[in-house]
Amino acid sequence: MNRRISDIQLLRGIAVLFVLVEHTQFNLFGEPNRLLTYIYPNFGGWTGVDLFFAISGFVIARDLIPRLARSDGRQFSTMLSFWVRRASRLWPSAWLWLALILVAVVGFNRSGAFGIVRTNLDATLAGVFNYGNFRLMATFGRSEYGASFPYWSLSLEEQFYLLLPFAVIIFRRWLPWVLLVPLFYQLYAHRHYDLFLMATRSDALMLGVLLAIWSQHPSYRWFEPVFLKSRQWLRWIVLLLLVLGLGAMGSYRFAEFRFWVGVVALISALLVFIGSYDQDYLMPDNPLKKVFLWLGSRSYALYLTHIPAYLASREIWFRIEPVNTVFAKNYNGRLALTAIVLVVIFSELNYRFVETPFRIRGKLLADRINLSPGWFQAWLGRFRNRPSIAAADSEKS
């Protein structure tokens, strides 16, 4: 059940590539060239975040919900082990890059690319304590967020997964119906005119959770896209149409469309649905898929490191070139090449020496918690059965 699905990993690679392209605007390139001038208005790479949400909801729920269903009175231990696994995988890397951004602000910021200390200190606190999405609301259109602005989506995910286990335990088999209420509200709402609804959008997350729940039901197999099994050319077409549709739907040309963000969530969920059958329905094995699988395996590290890499690239060329150099579009090639090298190095180092070791340690600790069934209940029982001070004094007398 915990085996990674290659098509889901492929989608992670696509999602992070969307985000990397989206954030080159303003953070890496000072002036777009002809290609970028066409891409930016017609392509919305921010939709990669919603694709991440749909993937995350599916992957987390397909593991967490069955675990809680089998816990038999050990729900707290199961919840604790879940949170330990998540924290050990996410927090060390996130905190490391928050710290490195602060170091860069102080010691590698002659160009001012990383922003000011106070702004980044506030952003760091928001990243550490997972309220980055609410800080984004407070700063949007008013002031700079800081170099760690991508952390807003990590904060939203952590808030969602803090609440999800409680919802699973409380609502049990009614959980799908309970999730449908906020889901339909978000899909219908005109969210992109409401900062709160945009910063707390969880429709893609809930769609992923609902897919995971549905995948345990026999009817899930009725809708398997088996027609793609013997038609490899059709897989390419389906994937290309959906991915291009996702990027095009993210264009601000659709900003007046009431269901703009909701359609993005639905396309993301459809991609996850096709990929969830673990039959390579999205893309057959080929060299290109291996590239996307690498991107998918490093997607978290890439997400954390790409903005520091972009800003460091600007700082490097600011120091190389003469004072008062205007970094127009003729510099885009060297900025892009420098950023690619830094992103690959940063993400690979983080994946190998931070993310993977801490994930393994977290899994071991979570397994230890699971191997001690009912430890919390046992501790609570001992505490309750401990004689009170008054009772002990009366026995002595």
Side-chain angles (χ1 to χ4, degrees):
M1 196 63 166
N2 292 321
R3 188 175 70 83
R4 291 187 175 180
I5 300 172
S6 64
D7 269 350
I8 297 296
Q9 201 76 326
L10 163 76
L11 290 177
R12 282 196 178 103
I14 293 172
V16 78
L17 192 59
F18 269 42
V19 174
L20 263 60
V21 172
E22 176 74 9
H23 287 163
T24 58
Q25 192 173 11
F26 307 123
N27 301 295
L28 181 60
F29 302 131
E31 180 186 356
N33 57 25
R34 184 179 299 177
L35 176 62
L36 294 174
T37 303
Y38 175 79
I39 289 175
Y40 289 148
N42 297 288
F43 169 83
W46 62 269
T47 57
V49 172
D50 292 74
L51 180 54
F52 269 130
F53 286 161
I55 294 167
S56 177
F58 173 77
V59 171
I60 294 296
R62 75 191 279 264
D63 178 63
L64 173 64
I65 293 177
R67 282 178 184 269
L68 286 171
R70 297 191 303 264
S71 58
D72 295 329
R74 293 181 286 112
Q75 287 92 345
F76 185 84
S77 297
T78 304
M79 290 165 59
L80 183 60
S81 66
F82 165 69
W83 289 325
V84 165
R85 286 198 306 274
R86 278 197 64 80
S88 60
R89 179 181 180 272
L90 302 180
W91 291 1
S93 297
W95 293 352
L96 170 66
W97 286 98
L98 286 171
L100 290 175
I101 287 172
L102 288 180
V103 170
V105 171
V106 175
F108 192 64
N109 198 26
R110 196 181 297 168
S111 66
F114 284 91
I116 63 175
V117 175
R118 174 60 186 273
T119 297
N120 282 283
L121 278 174
D122 291 344
T124 297
L125 290 174
V128 169
F129 294 104
N130 291 308
Y131 61 89
N133 54 331
F134 295 112
R135 184 170 190 276
L136 182 64
M137 288 169 48
T139 60
F140 191 82
R142 300 183 182 92
S143 61
E144 294 293 328
Y145 182 96
S148 58
F149 65 89
Y151 280 66
W152 79 266
S153 63
L154 305 180
S155 297
L156 175 56
E157 277 202 57
E158 290 302 276
Q159 293 157 16
F160 185 82
Y161 292 123
L162 179 64
L163 299 175
L164 181 62
F166 292 105
V168 174
I169 292 170
I170 294 169
F171 298 111
R172 300 177 181 273
R173 62 191 179 91
W174 297 103
L175 179 64
W177 302 103
V178 171
L179 290 177
L180 285 173
V181 175
L183 172 62
F184 282 129
Y185 172 74
Q186 290 195 32
L187 290 175
Y188 181 76
H190 217 163
R191 282 176 290 169
H192 42 290
Y193 289 115
D194 188 311
L195 277 175
F196 177 79
L197 289 177
M198 278 298 284
T200 58
R201 69 183 190 268
S202 51
D203 47 353
L205 280 162
M206 289 186 285
L207 284 168
V209 172
L210 290 169
L211 275 177
I213 295 171
W214 185 28
S215 68
Q216 306 302 311
H217 194 275
S219 64
Y220 191 69
R221 288 293 165 187
W222 302 349
F223 296 88
E224 182 175 352
V226 291
F227 62 91
L228 295 171
K229 186 169 291 187
S230 58
R231 298 177 178 86
Q232 290 194 10
W233 59 271
L234 192 55
R235 301 186 206 179
W236 288 99
I237 293 176
V238 170
L239 177 63
L240 191 63
L241 287 175
L242 289 174
V243 169
L244 288 178
L246 188 66
M249 195 66 210
S251 164
Y252 284 89
R253 299 177 187 273
F254 294 95
E256 296 300 319
F257 179 43
R258 182 184 193 95
F259 307 106
W260 182 34
V261 184
V263 171
V264 168
L266 290 171
I267 296 175
S268 300
L270 180 57
L271 282 164
V272 174
F273 167 74
I274 297 172
S276 67
Y277 287 96
D278 199 14
Q279 296 294 325
D280 294 325
Y281 286 143
L282 286 173
M283 185 187 288
D285 286 330
N286 65 87
L288 180 61
K289 187 168 186 176
K290 288 181 171 58
V291 173
F292 279 108
L293 291 178
W294 182 88
L295 289 170
S297 66
R298 272 69 172 171
S299 57
Y300 182 60
L302 288 165
Y303 192 79
L304 293 177
T305 63
H306 73 282
I307 291 299
Y310 289 178
L311 300 181
S313 300
R314 288 170 53 187
E315 175 69 18
I316 288 169
W317 283 102
F318 180 86
R319 291 173 179 239
I320 291 174
E321 296 300 313
V323 179
N324 298 324
T325 297
V326 177
F327 289 92
K329 56 188 175 184
N330 58 306
Y331 275 87
N332 288 354
R334 64 196 84 180
L335 284 169
L337 182 60
T338 307
I340 290 170
V341 171
L342 290 180
V343 166
V344 170
I345 292 173
F346 290 170
S347 60
E348 189 65 23
L349 289 174
N350 187 88
Y351 177 79
R352 289 180 179 273
F353 298 109
V354 183
E355 186 179 339
T356 299
F358 277 98
R359 183 177 66 239
I360 293 171
R361 292 177 185 177
K363 185 179 183 304
L364 292 174
L365 178 56
D367 289 342
R368 194 177 306 162
I369 292 171
N370 282 327
L371 288 174
S372 304
W375 67 270
F376 177 74
Q377 290 82 353
W379 174 84
L380 190 60
R382 286 199 299 270
F383 180 80
R384 287 174 175 171
N385 294 329
R386 183 184 298 173
S388 65
I389 296 175
D393 289 342
S394 64
E395 287 178 6
K396 289 178 182 178
S397 61

